Amino acid sequence: MLAAGLLLGACGSSPKRGAIVRDAGVAAPKPAPAAAAPRTSRGGGYYQDDGPGELPPANLDRIADAEPRLEPLARAANNPYTVFGQQYVPGKTLAPYRQRGIGSWYGRKFHGQRTSSGEIYDMYGMSAAHTTLPIPSYARVTNLANDRSVIVRVNDRGPFLAGRLIDLSYAAAYRLGYIGAGSASVEVESITPEDIPLIAAQRRQAAPSARAAPSPSSPPSPSSPPDAPQARADRLPTAPVLAAAASPAPAEPAAPAPAMPVDSGTGGVYLQLGAFSARDNAENFRVRIYQQLAWLNDAIWIFARDGMYRLDLGPYRDRDEAAGMAEKIRQALQLKPFIVER
């Protein structure tokens, strides 16, 4: 979610809302007309007010896995960052990784917006957001309830809700069979450079049988994606489990000395929402906060200090007022900002 992951430029007297207005040089493909969007139950599965598109493509069950290949890593997207007082240290090499946790998905609310990699998010592509896997990289995600697997391209940061391991695109979650449930227990395995030739060979072997297979007469229901999930025997060799890269950051108050403000603001009591090494990532996160908290009218300021872009919400009259807002945010996002004074 978290690309992300996933914000706006300078903020005036009232915060701006909506998508980032930039010429990204690429646009997300428009979905082909199809039947009405399938019903889903939130179940804690996706972001507030998010959900499937009204006209999803008719061939969701036939959308191919992402094709792993070696790509240069995005420098800014892989720097350490902090969100709601939690520090994340992304990997800078394509190392083995295997972890189990809760997989969710994000859809129309972020469709067409910029991800942490700088690319445009396409909810009908095979992509994912992860807090620490390198960007870009590839991972195999398996639904532990039904053994279905997909390969996705990690190009965004998130999810930042407690207990979430990975946010998949709508298409990837559909193929894993948990669109209706909203979330599922999954296993995430990174794909290393040594794995890429093996996967390419498996694709070549599967191509003739795929061409010979008859096309389904009608698409499967959202609760029952393709009837031929990838067999466990075709999966990559088990990789060693790595400990989670995220570690809590100390909630240190901001230094009293004035920062070099990217946005101007007055002194007082603020709530720090996150800290990023790249300005674009901070701006993206500010947009996502406003989208997820539609009721939030307070300004989110971006300040540059100590080589980081910090997002401060406020100011508030005193620490009690700030603490009340922090609790509202905690209840909505399951993450709590911390109070700073400057």
Side-chain angles (χ1 to χ4, degrees), residues 214-285:
S215 299
S217 56
S218 60
S221 66
S223 60
S224 302
D227 293 329
Q230 186 166 359
R232 296 289 285 197
D234 292 336
R235 295 184 57 208
L236 299 175
T238 300
V241 176
L242 296 186
S247 58
E252 298 179 358
M260 296 182 295
V262 176
D263 292 332
S264 60
T266 60
V269 180
Y270 290 79
L271 295 176
Q272 187 164 120
L273 306 180
F276 298 81
S277 59
R279 170 67 187 266
D280 281 353
N281 291 341
E283 290 179 347
N284 287 339
F285 190 66

Side-chain angles (χ1 to χ4, degrees), residues 3-307:
L6 171 259
L7 297 163
L8 298 177
C11 181
S13 58
S14 61
K16 299 178 182 178
R17 305 293 175 93
I20 304 169
V21 181
R22 287 198 188 96
D23 179 11
V26 61
K30 294 183 178 180
R39 289 186 177 182
T40 62
S41 60
R42 278 288 305 278
Y46 48 84
Y47 291 102
Q48 180 180 351
D49 300 326
D50 196 7
E54 295 181 356
L55 296 174
N59 64 338
L60 282 173
D61 57 307
R62 295 193 292 271
I63 293 178
D65 287 354
E67 186 171 355
R69 58 190 178 91
L70 291 177
E71 301 179 63
L73 299 184
R75 182 170 56 183
N78 293 308
N79 287 332
Y81 63 97
T82 302
V83 173
F84 290 107
Q86 177 82 11
Q87 185 179 32
Y88 300 92
V89 183
K92 292 184 179 292
T93 60
L94 301 178
Y97 170 96
R98 190 178 84 250
Q99 191 79 20
R100 291 186 175 187
I102 299 299
S104 49
W105 60 272
Y106 59 133
R108 67 171 183 266
K109 195 160 198 174
F110 303 99
H111 185 64
Q113 295 195 32
R114 195 185 297 271
T115 64
S116 298
S117 67
E119 302 161 343
I120 299 300
Y121 173 59
D122 176 11
M123 63 187 288
Y124 303 120
M126 299 295 287
S127 63
H130 193 276
T131 54
T132 58
L133 284 176
I135 290 180
S137 64
Y138 295 83
R140 185 184 299 275
V141 184
T142 302
N143 185 341
L144 297 176
N146 58 23
D147 223 28
R148 295 187 174 102
S149 293
V150 295
I151 294 177
V152 294
R153 185 171 183 270
V154 179
N155 64 358
D156 205 1
R157 288 293 173 223
F160 299 114
L161 294 179
R164 303 290 176 83
L165 177 63
I166 195 167
D167 256 350
L168 297 185
S169 64
Y170 178 88
Y174 178 91
R175 285 194 46 203
L176 287 187
Y178 68 82
I179 283 294
S183 61
S185 294
V186 299
E187 182 176 84
V188 178
E189 295 176 270
S190 64
I191 293 176
T192 64
E194 294 77 16
D195 301 322
I196 293 177
L198 173 61
I199 294 174
Q202 291 175 345
R203 284 175 178 265
R204 287 193 297 269
Q205 293 173 1
S209 58
R211 285 193 295 267
S215 299
S217 56
S218 60
S221 66
S223 60
S224 302
D227 293 329
Q230 186 166 359
R232 296 289 285 197
D234 292 336
R235 295 184 57 208
L236 299 175
T238 300
V241 176
L242 296 186
S247 58
E252 298 179 358
M260 296 182 295
V262 176
D263 292 332
S264 60
T266 60
V269 180
Y270 290 79
L271 295 176
Q272 187 164 120
L273 306 180
F276 298 81
S277 59
R279 170 67 187 266
D280 281 353
N281 291 341
E283 290 179 347
N284 287 339
F285 190 66
R286 177 159 64 176
V287 167
R288 293 196 176 191
I289 290 295
Y290 280 135
Q291 289 174 325
Q292 294 173 47
L293 303 178
W295 46 264
L296 182 63
N297 293 315
D298 298 338
I300 300 177
W301 309 91
I302 300 179
F303 285 83
R305 181 170 55 247
D306 301 329

